[in-house]
Amino acid sequence: MVKIGIIGGSGVYGVFEAKETVKVHTPYGRPSAPVEIGEIEGVEVAFIPRHGKHHEFPPHEVPYRANIWALKELGVERVIGVTAVGSLREEYKPGDIVITDQFIDFTKKRDYTFYNGPKVAHVSMADPFCPEMRKIFYETAKELGFPVHERGTYVCIEGPRFSTRAESFMFRQYAHIIGMTLIPEINLARELGMCYANIATVTDYDVWAEKPVDAQEVLKVMAENNYKVQELLKKAIPRIPEERKCGCADVLKSMFV
Ligand code: ADE
């Protein structure tokens, strides 16, 4: 059974070749694309391109529930979410990697839960990211010499629009990075007792910085970020222990009310 799942963008494609493509039907419809199964340095992984094979799902329309359900059905226990983010702080620079450790949810209308009744559940989110995977990704990125932040609070906005300057100034008081896709991916993974880690790569300073966005520069940074993510996945994934000692699955014990 494949135990590691990756949900990410085009940057992840280069890192493994699909040996098999599985069309999964879930109670929540189809995932963003058929799940691709392949190997990274000898470790079997399942991959879903979050925005679809042809980038047809904007952040607020991604079938998050189907994606997580499909991975669970294939046996995945640990989910790695790869996301591009904007920076809300000077010291989080374009090209940096962030091993996110907290989030603030500013999304508005997504499918946040598998428990819409009659079964009801409240899942603990105090420390939602898998500590075991976070440590491995941070230490490996450091070893590779990549600019990496051990922590970062990710504010997730609804999108697809970017923030106003006033919003950006507000978010910057509380968070380090900003994106559109972490929520509800992590909520759903947790509801099924799966580990979740986020590798965020900074593409731009958000509008608080009042710097004009240079599209060429952003494209260059994204290409470099893709390379870093691929190298990081290749080196870190074989280090993830098969047996989980992180306690992420224990949230299920305290969940039903
Ligand atoms: N993704 C990448 N950059 C972003 C930004 N500035 N705001 C929201 N999502 C992003």
Side-chain angles (χ1 to χ4, degrees):
M1 265 204 180
V2 49
K3 292 209 166 157
I4 295 182
I6 303 176
I7 305 178
S10 57
V12 180
Y13 270 115
V15 80
F16 83 112
E17 253 182 55
K19 285 191 302 188
E20 197 187 338
T21 302
V22 191
K23 280 191 179 150
V24 189
H25 294 266
T26 80
Y28 307 96
R30 286 173 195 223
S32 304
V35 185
E36 294 179 20
I37 307 207
E39 278 183 10
I40 294 183
E41 302 294 308
V43 181
E44 199 163 50
V45 298
F47 170 64
I48 299 179
R50 185 183 289 112
H51 297 285
K53 200 90 187 162
H54 310 286
H55 217 277
E56 62 269 37
F57 297 105
H60 62 295
E61 296 289 358
V62 169
Y64 294 100
R65 289 198 296 189
N67 288 351
I68 294 294
W69 193 271
L71 292 179
K72 179 77 181 181
E73 215 164 86
L74 291 168
V76 167
E77 293 181 344
R78 301 196 196 249
V79 180
I80 303 162
V82 179
T83 54
V85 295
S87 166
L88 296 166
R89 307 284 178 102
E90 192 77 50
E91 66 275 22
Y92 285 65
K93 300 184 177 66
D96 288 1
I97 295 170
V98 186
I99 311 300
T100 310
D101 74 321
Q102 282 291 323
F103 70 74
I104 297 174
D105 180 3
F106 262 83
T107 63
K108 297 187 170 87
K109 51 170 190 69
R110 300 188 180 189
D111 291 319
Y112 297 100
T113 180
F114 291 114
Y115 297 94
N116 278 323
K119 250 189 190 170
V120 175
H122 302 280
V123 67
S124 163
M125 275 286 168
D127 293 294
F129 295 89
C130 173
E132 239 172 26
M133 284 204 288
R134 285 193 54 251
K135 185 165 188 285
I136 291 167
F137 284 126
Y138 174 68
E139 286 175 357
T140 306
K142 266 228 117 46
E143 224 177 279
L144 285 165
F146 297 153
V148 59
H149 300 265
E150 192 171 5
R151 296 172 186 287
T153 298
Y154 177 133
V155 61
C156 190
I157 57 171
E158 181 63 29
R161 70 168 178 85
F162 289 113
S163 306
T164 63
R165 228 180 282 285
E167 287 168 337
S168 190
F169 278 118
M170 179 184 73
F171 293 144
R172 153 177 166 74
Q173 308 295 312
Y174 307 103
H176 305 90
I177 51 177
I178 182 164
M180 301 179 191
T181 55
L182 177 67
I183 309 296
E185 211 166 84
I186 185 168
N187 315 25
L188 297 166
R190 238 171 129 67
E191 280 190 353
L192 298 184
M194 299 156 99
C195 299
Y196 190 96
N198 174 236
I199 301 174
T201 54
V202 180
T203 54
D204 57 278
Y205 281 114
D206 199 43
V207 289
W208 63 272
E210 301 190 16
K211 286 176 190 156
V213 176
D214 178 336
Q216 288 307 317
E217 182 58 27
V218 170
L219 286 176
K220 185 167 157 270
V221 169
M222 281 175 83
E224 287 166 4
N225 286 353
N226 287 346
Y227 165 77
K228 286 177 206 158
V229 166
Q230 289 176 14
E231 293 303 303
L232 179 55
L233 291 174
K234 274 197 267 183
K235 201 156 177 139
I237 282 179
R239 295 178 173 179
I240 299 175
E242 260 210 38
E243 199 190 321
R244 297 195 288 167
K245 295 217 171 78
C246 47
C248 294
D250 295 341
V251 292
L252 298 181
K253 290 186 197 148
S254 60
M255 203 165 75
F256 290 95
V257 291

